[in-house]
């Protein structure tokens, strides 16, 4: 079905100015239905979610952050879409979305987070989009297994990587967005070529009609507008694989220059927590104060979250709510009595099933990735 048909009457593909001219939306309307988000860039679209809107286990599409290096490709049409599968395979394929929908379907709920989430908090500052806390969200993804597609194409025994490319085209001198998944992660049954997000066709800005879902790994693996899979014995020499999305193999001093050979590709997300209640800067009456939020650790499970209400002097365990689902954030809750008027710093500190604990100060790195120090909100008790 053509994209316009799926969108119905929404103005998602209409430039901002004509949407205004038609009077269809309020003057502040953002494209892509992201009115409630904080815009960091219009073209390409980059939006972060205010913490107040991250208070549900599943993040609704209208609240889901957007990170794009390049503008959304024009004229996205499901009926004409083809996914090329080539390189080191017995049988190169050109798959339609209908063919992918006819394959066995899998559904995986995944907390997706941009590797640059929290970059704004590094000292010294790091260049790049200055994400604060909201380049993260959780959605239910449904699609075909990447492994089934690779089996159908017959990946050769020399295959070690799958290079992925989207249909978004470079701006100026910017290189095309290419990412690669090592073969073992590509063959994992939870790694998907998704065509649905939260039970609906994937919205245009989130990768319609197809995107990769590489559960637990930093967001840039989740290639949107997926157009090409190239199976290869060798790593991609694309800028986005060979240079970007790399992290020092050893701890480095803040502000240090790190040699290329000391940088390794990012893979899984690290242990992290986010307090969603109360909000930073809230004024609260004395008495019972409820604290809640989410903690996640990529492919790892969360085993505990501790809360401090005295700036880190003492810590108490929060209650973990519900079951841990692999690859998703875990809800935590905590309550305490505020007996006197004061300015109170509430901190959260998560631990994963490997015993990794959030650091008090995030590890600085040249691209400002994986910021994960204790979360903190300051509230005024009156
Ligand atoms: N084709 C394409 N896929 C992409 C990107 C992009 O710029 N182009 N951005 C990546 C990055 S850096 C992230 S964090 C996620 C963001 O997904 P979202 O916009 O659906 O939240 O998409 C990834 N997939
Ligand atoms: Mo990202």
């Amino acid at each position: 079905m053509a994209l316009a048909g799926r969108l119905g009457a929404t103005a998602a593909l209409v430039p901002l100015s004509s949407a205004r001219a038609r009077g269809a939306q309020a003057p502040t309307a953002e494209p892509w239905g992201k009115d409630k988000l904080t815009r960091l860039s219009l073209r390409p679209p980059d939006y972060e979610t205010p913490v107040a809107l991250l208070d549900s286990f599943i993040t609704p599409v209208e609240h889901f952050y957007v990170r794009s290096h390049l503008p959304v490709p024009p004229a996205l049409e499901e009926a004409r879409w083809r996914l090329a599968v080539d390189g080191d395979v017995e049988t190169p394929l050109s798959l339609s979305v209908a063919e992918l929908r006819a394959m066995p379907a899998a559904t995986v709920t995944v907390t997706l987070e941009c590797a640059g989430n929290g970059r704004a908090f590094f000292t010294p500052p790091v260049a790049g989009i200055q994400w604060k806390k909201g380049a993260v969200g959780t959605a239910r993804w449904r699609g075909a297994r990447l492994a089934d597609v690779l089996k159908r194409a017959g990946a050769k025994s020399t295959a070690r990587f799958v290079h992925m490319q989207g249909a978004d085209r470079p701006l100026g001198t910017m290189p095309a967005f290419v990412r690669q998944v090592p073969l073992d992660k590509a063959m994992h049954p939870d790694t998907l070529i998704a065509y649905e997000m939260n039970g609906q066709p994937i919205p245009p800005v989130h990768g319609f009609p197809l995107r990769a879902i590489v559960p637990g790994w930093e967001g840039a693996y989740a290639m949107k507008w997926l157009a090409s899979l190239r199976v290869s014995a060798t790593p991609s020499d694309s800028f986005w694989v060979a240079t970007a999305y790399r992290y020092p193999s050893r701890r480095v001093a803040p502000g240090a220059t790190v040699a290329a050979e000391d940088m390794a590709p990012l893979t899984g997300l690290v242990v992290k927590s986010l307090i969603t209640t109360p909000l930073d800067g809230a004024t609260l009456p004395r008495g019972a104060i409820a604290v809640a939020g989410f903690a996640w650790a990529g492919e790892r499970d969360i085993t505990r979250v501790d809360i401090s209400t005295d700036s880190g002097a003492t810590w108490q365990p929060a209650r973990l709510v519900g079951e841990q689902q692999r690859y998703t954030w875990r809800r935590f809750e905590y309550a305490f009595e505020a007996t006197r008027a004061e300015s109170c710093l509430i901190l959260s500190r998560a631990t994963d099933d490997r015993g990794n604990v959030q650091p008090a100060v995030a590890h600085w790195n040249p691209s400002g990735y994986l910021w994960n120090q204790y979360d903190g909100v300051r509230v005024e008790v009156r």
Side-chain angles (χ1 to χ4, degrees):
M1 186 194 289
L3 177 65
R6 290 198 178 279
L7 287 174
T10 73
L13 286 184
V14 180
L16 206 50
S17 51
S18 54
R20 272 179 206 161
R22 289 185 330 173
Q25 299 190 358
T28 55
E30 291 291 332
W32 319 111
K34 300 293 177 180
D35 298 44
K36 294 185 184 139
L37 273 51
T38 305
R39 187 215 294 161
L40 300 179
S41 163
L42 184 61
R43 193 179 150 84
D46 289 301
Y47 289 85
E48 86 164 83
T49 311
V51 173
L53 299 181
L54 288 174
D55 207 28
S56 58
F57 181 76
I58 295 289
T59 312
V61 164
E62 62 269 31
H63 296 167
F64 208 95
Y65 83 97
V66 177
R67 198 323 175 216
S68 296
H69 293 278
L70 307 168
V72 176
L76 297 165
E77 275 184 57
E78 177 166 325
R80 288 171 47 188
W81 199 264
R82 285 291 178 283
L83 172 63
V85 187
D86 57 20
D88 289 356
V89 296
E90 305 295 342
T91 318
L93 305 173
S94 169
L95 296 170
S96 67
V97 179
E99 286 173 290
L100 287 162
R101 285 180 181 273
M103 296 176 74
T107 303
V108 187
T109 304
V110 174
T111 296
L112 190 72
E113 184 185 23
C114 182
N117 196 24
R119 179 180 289 132
F121 305 126
F122 278 108
T123 317
V126 173
I129 299 234
Q130 297 298 298
W131 301 103
K132 292 179 177 161
K133 296 184 181 181
V136 61
T138 299
R140 235 170 33 247
W141 305 94
R142 183 175 173 81
R145 292 191 174 88
L146 177 53
D148 290 344
V149 169
L150 296 175
K151 282 178 208 156
R152 188 186 279 196
K156 293 184 178 164
S157 61
T158 49
R160 286 181 51 222
F161 302 99
V162 179
H163 305 179
M164 307 183 286
Q165 195 170 331
D168 40 348
R169 289 289 156 257
L171 273 178
T173 56
M174 206 182 235
F177 192 62
V178 174
R179 298 287 291 143
Q180 80 182 11
V181 194
L183 197 69
D184 52 349
K185 185 69 174 172
M187 292 300 287
H188 192 284
D190 295 332
T191 299
L192 304 185
I193 300 172
Y195 41 73
E196 275 180 23
M197 175 182 189
N198 291 348
Q200 298 292 323
I202 296 175
V205 80
H206 292 294
F208 181 90
L210 298 175
R211 84 178 295 176
I213 290 295
V214 183
W217 286 24
E218 57 87 12
Y221 284 94
M223 181 63 65
K224 302 192 276 192
W225 314 293
L226 185 65
S228 153
L229 298 172
R230 177 156 294 168
V231 178
S232 177
T234 53
S236 164
D237 57 9
S238 148
F239 167 80
W240 300 104
V241 174
T243 305
Y245 294 111
R246 287 182 170 242
Y247 191 88
S249 314
R250 275 170 263 115
R251 199 72 54 78
V252 302
T257 304
V258 184
E261 62 267 27
D262 294 329
M263 301 282 272
L266 290 175
T267 55
L269 293 170
V270 292
V271 64
K272 187 162 175 179
S273 60
L274 178 72
I275 298 170
T276 56
T277 306
L279 293 174
D280 191 44
T283 299
L284 302 169
R286 258 172 277 183
I289 294 183
V291 179
F294 291 103
W296 64 97
E299 294 178 295
R300 313 306 320 178
D301 290 346
I302 292 297
T303 51
R304 66 182 290 154
V305 175
D306 294 289
I307 302 292
S308 173
T309 58
D310 55 10
S311 306
T314 61
W315 296 85
Q316 300 295 327
R319 194 165 67 89
L320 297 180
V321 181
E323 295 289 304
Q324 170 81 52
Q325 286 186 56
R326 199 172 178 204
Y327 315 120
T328 68
W329 56 22
R330 183 92 190 262
R331 176 96 175 156
F332 64 84
E333 292 178 355
Y334 182 75
F336 71 102
E337 281 288 313
T339 50
R340 56 192 172 89
E342 61 171 337
S343 173
C344 173
L345 178 64
I346 306 171
L347 299 172
S348 64
R349 181 182 72 188
T351 303
D352 73 14
D353 61 3
R354 284 262 176 98
N356 296 306
V357 184
Q358 281 185 265
V361 178
H363 306 315
W364 189 94
N365 61 100
S367 299
Y369 294 137
L370 305 182
W371 187 90
N372 73 329
Q373 74 191 44
Y374 307 164
D375 195 24
V377 297
R378 182 168 289 282
V379 298
E380 304 304 322
V381 179
R382 288 280 172 265

